[in-house]
């Protein structure tokens, strides 16, 4: 099945053409420049930018894959979770195209997309991850654990794959989620306080590289929660981190963005300490989830999974418990339509094709990944 996929859940406008698990073309148009001056994503700006750019991006991916719209078998679109106005732009576009071209429309869960990003292969059928052949990995009744860390979600998901009438069926069970802010959201908020711009993750990582992670002692969220608790919480860490910074340097009430009171080295130290604490909090629950489920194959995905320290430490943790660890290819860790095209194959196998275009609507930020719900 050749799928034209559309992703507009936040601030990346993206389209891709995916055949089975082979990626034929993928274009991601970041809106960072449109939102930068506001320090975060403005929903109405995001919607307008998606609407403006989708037609051009879709014709580019069709050109790149040397296919015409007539040769596409189905259209896939992210229906959530995400920012409703942003999602709606993609959904309206996809509905119109499906109607005009008389193609089936497949609704895709954005978080299943992040998991599916690990299954993508190149046009030549080579995997994007060295030595990783996802479809050979499983005995077709196997389970795996995913840690999805993004700007909107922090989730632990247990998934299984089975073969039914020679179709690969994937099911997901949400076993842990954030009770308040997502890890990426917390990173972006701290980044804003430090004047690092938006999104702060990649900049914070660069500063952290030259800093001392032991310089500031920050509380690891939910460290004392009961063993069976697999949920996350990041809103308290944000407040604690900023207060620690104010107290250590006797800065009060003045936004750090306007002060030049901190030296570059102090900012590096703070970024390193903060990044370490976020990773400690993520790995605490990943470890517990591995123990609770007995699962030893672990996927790491979502925008924050681009972070090298997180990848390194999560890999070390999983391997030290005798497990197999796979992180999403960096080029697909952030939002993109390639992963949506891949996930569409899983949705299709579960029979999730819209019977009527009216039944496709945006699902807002909250609901996570849980199939069957
Ligand atoms: O998955 P994603 O692209 O969008 C959502 O679905 O939310 O994730 C975006 C998040 C942002 O919070 C961004 O700051 C964070 O991923 N991020 C990083 C890094 N690159 C992106 N966080 C830490 N280190 C990075 N290198
Ligand atoms: Zn995402």
């Amino acid at each position: 099945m050749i799928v034209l996929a559309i992703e507009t859940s936040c601030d990346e406008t993206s389209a891709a053409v995916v055949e089975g698990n082979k990626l034929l073309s993928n274009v991601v148009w970041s809106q960072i420049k449109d939102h930068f001056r506001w320090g975060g994503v403005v929903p109405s700006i995001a919607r307008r930018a998606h609407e403006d750019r989708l037609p051009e991006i879709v014709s580019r991916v069709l050109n790149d894959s040397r296919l015409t719209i007539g040769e596409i078998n189905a259209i896939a679109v992210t229906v959530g979770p995400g920012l409703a106005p942003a999602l709606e732009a993609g959904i309206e576009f996809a509905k119109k195209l499906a109607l005009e071209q008389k193609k089936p429309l497949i609704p895709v869960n954005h978080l299943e997309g992040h998991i599916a990003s690990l299954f993508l292969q190149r046009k030549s059928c080579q995997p994007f991850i060295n030595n990783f052949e996802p479809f050979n990995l499983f005995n077709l009744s196997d389970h795996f654990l995913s840690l999805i860390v993004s700007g909107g979600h922090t989730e632990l998901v247990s998934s299984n794959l089975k073969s039914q009438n020679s179709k690969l069926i994937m099911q997901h069970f949400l076993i842990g989620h954030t009770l308040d802010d997502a890890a990426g959201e917390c990173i972006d908020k701290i980044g804003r306080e430090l004047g690092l711009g938006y999104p702060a993750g990649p900049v914070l990582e660069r500063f952290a590289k030259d800093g001392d992670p032991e310089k500031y002692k920050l509380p690891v969220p939910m460290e004392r929660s009961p063993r069976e608790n697999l949920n996350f919480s990041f809103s308290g860490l944000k407040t604690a981190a900023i207060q620690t910074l104010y107290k250590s340097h006797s800065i009060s009430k003045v936004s750090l963005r306007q002060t030049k009171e901190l030296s570059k080295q102090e900012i590096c130290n703070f970024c390193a300490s903060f990044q370490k604490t976020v990773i400690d909090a993520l790995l605490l629950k990943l470890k517990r989830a591995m123990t609770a489920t007995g699962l030893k194959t672990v996927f790491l995905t979502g925008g924050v999974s681009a972070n090298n320290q997180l990848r390194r430490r999560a890999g070390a943790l999983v391997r030290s418990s005798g497990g197999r660890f796979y992180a999403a290819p960096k080029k697909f860790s952030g939002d993109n339509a390639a992963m949506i095209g891949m996930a569409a194959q899983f949705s299709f196998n579960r029979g999730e094709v819209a019977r009527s275009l009216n039944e496709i609507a945006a699902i807002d930020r909250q609901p996570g990944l849980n199939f069957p719900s």
Side-chain angles (χ1 to χ4, degrees):
M1 183 171 69
I2 306 179
V3 172
L4 169 66
I6 289 161
E7 153 67 35
T8 64
S9 67
C10 193
D11 58 348
E12 258 94 29
T13 315
S14 182
V17 179
V18 181
E19 179 177 15
N21 62 334
K22 255 189 328 184
L23 177 61
L24 304 186
S25 57
N26 181 42
V27 171
V28 181
W29 193 331
S30 169
Q31 299 180 0
I32 286 176
K33 283 206 189 92
D34 302 321
H35 302 287
F36 192 85
R37 57 189 285 230
W38 306 104
V41 181
V42 183
S44 56
I45 295 178
R47 179 193 201 118
R48 174 61 68 86
H50 288 313
E51 285 169 351
D52 288 349
R53 289 163 186 174
L54 270 174
E56 187 188 331
I57 291 177
V58 166
S59 50
R60 264 175 64 190
V61 289
L62 287 172
N63 271 341
D64 291 353
S65 60
R66 293 167 207 264
L67 291 169
T68 62
I69 186 75
E71 291 168 296
I72 298 291
N73 303 118
I75 292 162
V77 64
T78 306
V79 292
L83 278 180
L87 289 164
E88 280 157 13
I91 292 171
E92 288 316 311
F93 182 90
K95 277 184 179 178
K96 202 163 159 262
L97 199 60
L99 196 67
E100 276 168 14
Q101 299 294 327
K102 300 190 176 52
K103 305 281 180 196
L105 185 60
I106 303 174
V108 175
N109 181 302
H110 180 79
L111 296 170
E112 184 169 42
H114 277 300
I115 292 178
S117 69
L118 284 101
F119 288 77
L120 282 165
Q121 297 204 335
R122 297 172 205 272
K123 232 185 278 187
S124 58
C125 293
Q126 295 300 308
F128 283 99
I129 305 173
N130 280 344
N131 306 321
F132 179 49
E133 251 294 352
F135 293 99
N136 288 347
L137 188 74
F138 303 104
N139 300 324
L140 290 187
S141 63
D142 221 339
H143 290 66
F144 61 95
L145 188 65
S146 296
L147 174 58
I148 308 174
V149 201
S150 75
H153 287 82
T154 309
E155 299 203 343
L156 277 162
V157 176
S158 148
S159 306
N160 66 8
L161 280 170
K162 59 183 181 202
S163 178
Q164 215 170 62
N165 305 327
S166 63
K167 277 188 199 155
L168 198 60
I169 305 289
M170 183 144 9
Q171 286 180 311
H172 308 285
F173 303 93
L174 181 66
I175 59 171
H177 62 96
T178 183
L179 302 172
D180 39 58
D181 290 357
E185 191 177 355
C186 179
I187 290 171
D188 290 339
K189 284 178 177 169
I190 289 288
R192 188 152 54 186
E193 298 290 336
L194 293 171
L196 303 185
Y198 173 85
V203 189
L204 187 121
E205 180 174 12
R206 279 203 296 278
F207 277 104
K209 232 172 129 212
D210 298 323
D212 174 2
E214 305 300 332
K215 202 77 189 173
Y216 294 88
K217 296 275 168 268
L218 302 174
V220 177
M222 300 186 87
E223 200 171 25
R224 284 175 228 273
S225 60
R227 290 198 141 269
E228 61 279 10
N229 187 320
L230 302 180
N231 291 328
F232 302 91
S233 165
F234 287 99
S235 72
L237 173 60
K238 186 202 120 191
T239 315
I242 290 299
Q243 274 172 2
T244 304
L245 198 57
Y246 285 165
K247 276 195 202 133
S248 329
H249 297 279
S250 310
I251 309 169
S252 63
K253 288 193 182 165
V254 186
S255 165
L256 286 167
R257 283 174 272 181
Q258 285 134 37
T259 68
K260 299 271 180 263
E261 290 178 49
L262 293 183
S263 68
K264 172 136 188 271
Q265 189 56 50
E266 281 161 347
I267 296 187
C268 289
N269 291 340
F270 182 74
C271 287
S273 306
F274 173 69
Q275 176 180 272
K276 175 183 175 290
T277 310
V278 171
I279 297 174
D280 285 347
L282 292 169
L283 298 192
L284 173 77
K285 297 305 174 94
L286 175 61
K287 192 169 178 202
R288 283 188 189 174
M290 288 180 73
T291 308
T293 60
L295 295 178
K296 294 217 175 274
T297 299
V298 175
F299 286 9
L300 174 69
T301 186
V304 182
S305 77
N307 186 284
N308 289 308
Q309 277 296 320
L310 174 59
R311 290 166 94 89
R312 195 185 56 72
R313 289 186 53 200
L317 170 75
V318 174
R319 285 188 278 268
S320 71
S321 346
R324 294 178 294 198
F325 174 76
Y326 303 99
K330 276 200 186 173
K331 63 198 275 193
F332 305 124
S333 60
D335 293 345
N336 65 85
M339 68 185 197
I340 301 304
M342 184 67 241
Q345 319 278 340
F346 301 140
S347 310
F348 182 77
N349 288 352
R350 286 190 301 262
E352 293 163 11
V353 178
R355 284 173 300 273
S356 131
L357 293 186
N358 293 336
E359 72 183 34
I360 305 273
I363 301 168
D364 81 358
R365 264 192 180 274
Q366 286 315 313
L369 188 54
N370 209 4
F371 297 140
S373 53

